[in-house]
Amino acid sequence: MLNKLDKEFYFNKCVLNLRSYRQELLASNIANSDTPNYQPLDIDFSKALNELLKKNDKQPQFQLTLTSKKHIPITQHKKLESYEEMIAKKYIIKKDKINMDVEKVNFINNSLLYQMDIIFINNKFKNLTNVLKG
């Protein structure tokens, strides 16, 4: 049961983690807009998300022996890669200079998308709860 829930929400988990990470990068860009020689960063969202989803398909599912009904089966998912690994794989895009209008619009857009994803996940949980209640 938990494995199915985990699989069901893995996509949402990846999207939220990437949006959160992108929010940090955009906030950093805005905060450092007046810093000399600062190179603004952004994330190639679709490329990073596709790679995370591919990794999940390739990961072997670990099975533990459960000796009690109270044991919860374990699943293993890799956390998001470190910043350096993401740059090396070119998920992070280095821009030439900061355009504050573009950064602010991207920041607000990413915030709204994050909120939308939260609402979507909440609705998904409500639907699952309604199905389980019958």
Side-chain angles (χ1 to χ4, degrees), residues 56-85:
N56 186 43
D57 291 340
K58 293 178 183 174
Q59 279 189 342
Q61 295 295 322
F62 296 98
Q63 295 293 325
L64 297 177
T65 303
L66 305 178
T67 57
S68 169
K69 290 182 180 179
K70 295 180 181 177
H71 290 168
I72 299 172
I74 189 168
T75 59
Q76 185 174 3
H77 294 291
K78 273 191 162 182
K79 292 182 178 178
L80 280 179
E81 297 171 347
S82 71
Y83 171 76
E84 292 81 16
E85 289 173 334

Side-chain angles (χ1 to χ4, degrees), residues 46-121:
S46 61
K47 189 176 179 181
L49 181 60
N50 282 334
E51 191 64 32
L52 284 172
L53 294 175
K54 283 180 189 173
K55 280 184 180 178
N56 186 43
D57 291 340
K58 293 178 183 174
Q59 279 189 342
Q61 295 295 322
F62 296 98
Q63 295 293 325
L64 297 177
T65 303
L66 305 178
T67 57
S68 169
K69 290 182 180 179
K70 295 180 181 177
H71 290 168
I72 299 172
I74 189 168
T75 59
Q76 185 174 3
H77 294 291
K78 273 191 162 182
K79 292 182 178 178
L80 280 179
E81 297 171 347
S82 71
Y83 171 76
E84 292 81 16
E85 289 173 334
M86 291 184 85
I87 286 179
K89 292 185 179 181
K90 302 193 185 213
Y91 301 141
I92 303 289
I93 304 164
K94 290 182 178 178
K95 301 176 192 173
D96 293 333
K97 59 182 179 180
I98 296 176
N99 181 339
M100 279 302 288
D101 293 335
V102 171
E103 294 299 324
K104 288 178 183 176
V105 167
N106 285 340
F107 185 85
I108 292 169
N109 185 35
N110 195 58
S111 297
L112 291 173
L113 290 172
Y114 187 89
Q115 289 295 320
M116 182 190 74
D117 290 333
I118 295 289
I119 291 169
F120 181 76
I121 290 170

